[in-house]
Amino acid sequence: MHIAGGLYKETCLVPDWNAEYGSGGRAAAAAAGLSPGTVLHAYAPVRGSSGQDALERLGVELRLQRSSHGVAFAYFHPLSIPHIEPHRSVMVQHAPIELSGEAVLRFGFLEGEAIVHANRAVYDPQTSVSPAMFADNGSSADELALVLNEAEARALSGRRDIREAAAALLSSGAAHVVVVKGGARGALVMERGGATSEVPAYWSERVFKIGTGDVFSSVFALEWAERKHPAMLAADRASLSVAAYCASGILPLTADAQTPREPVTLEEVPVVLLDGAVDTIGHRFVMEEARSSLLELGARVVCPALDGVSMIGPTSAMSALVIGEGLLSDLWPRLRELESTGIPVILFDELRATGTQTHGGRRVVDDFTSAIYFALWAAFGPRG
């Protein structure tokens, strides 16, 4: 399989992460153990970086086009908006990368673009800010699948409703298959001719979020474009692979990455009660980040502390997320009160927890992103 995509430096403060992946590098690393002969086409300012060497040790063939600068992404935590260097407004645009192949996965680039010609192609634009259609730069494919997040689907189609957006892209002739990723809600798969299916997200023991979309697109392209499997099956295997990657954060993927897991089905909007201290700027920041992350993932959040009201009984809540730091002597009484209601309780205790532990109806976790997802999944999903 041929992959065209960014090879970028990535850092994260919490948890500590420092790697050279980007969309193209991560997709190539994900596919390397499943598809020998994977070829990565990317820009690079130098040849022979540690990230490039690591990909070559996995068996990835690198075809690099010289660029005038590298690109770096810096995250505070995996759910935060990354800081990108250099700034998009001053990033040099380089001559297009051109390639042909039977099965091609094309990502959007920051510092250029790829013109591809393929029998089967998968296109992931990687931006909801004025995304380009696949054929706009002269790319062509006998069969094309679009893999989009919800914002990209809306931007490309001009439709607000996701199903209408996917249907509009198909009817316009823009693609033969449209996959719209809904994060914790799984993915919608629509095919030309009317076939529609939904693929669930799958539960994982931990959630490392950086690059999950890259892994999904990589495995979908491998299964649909290279192995010619049906789109629904390819998307389901991609979702399973994302869960395996989330649990470990390790690439390449192996065959057991697609071992069956328990699906997470969010049949309605989950309501999460968020509790914690807001007495210092640090405590309030974590609470605001938690609320923002839950809202971004589609939850409705009830948070008396941030709303400036007294703690109330969680009558409408389906799960509870408690940020332990700062509650001190109030922590255990609040936990007992919440647990008495019968709803699942997730305790984020970064200082005292080690990994993830379960105590009765309470899950204790030391990782912020995992705590957010567990609180969301606990509303309907497995209690684990």
Side-chain angles (χ1 to χ4, degrees), residues 14-15 77-79 183-184 202-210 212 242-249 261 264 297 356 363 365-377:
V14 183
H77 59 79
L79 295 176
Y202 289 96
W203 187 84
S204 60
E205 301 81 5
R206 198 170 180 86
V207 181
F208 182 75
K209 190 68 178 66
I210 296 174
T212 54
V242 165
Y245 169 71
C246 279
S248 68
R261 290 172 173 262
V264 180
L297 290 169
T356 301
R363 181 181 289 271
V365 59
D366 64 353
D367 175 68
F368 178 78
T369 304
S370 299
I372 295 294
Y373 270 83
F374 289 165
L376 189 69
W377 291 343

Side-chain angles (χ1 to χ4, degrees), residues 156-168:
L156 282 174
S157 68
R159 305 293 180 88
R160 181 67 186 171
D161 181 83
I162 294 303
R163 287 179 175 269
E164 291 180 4

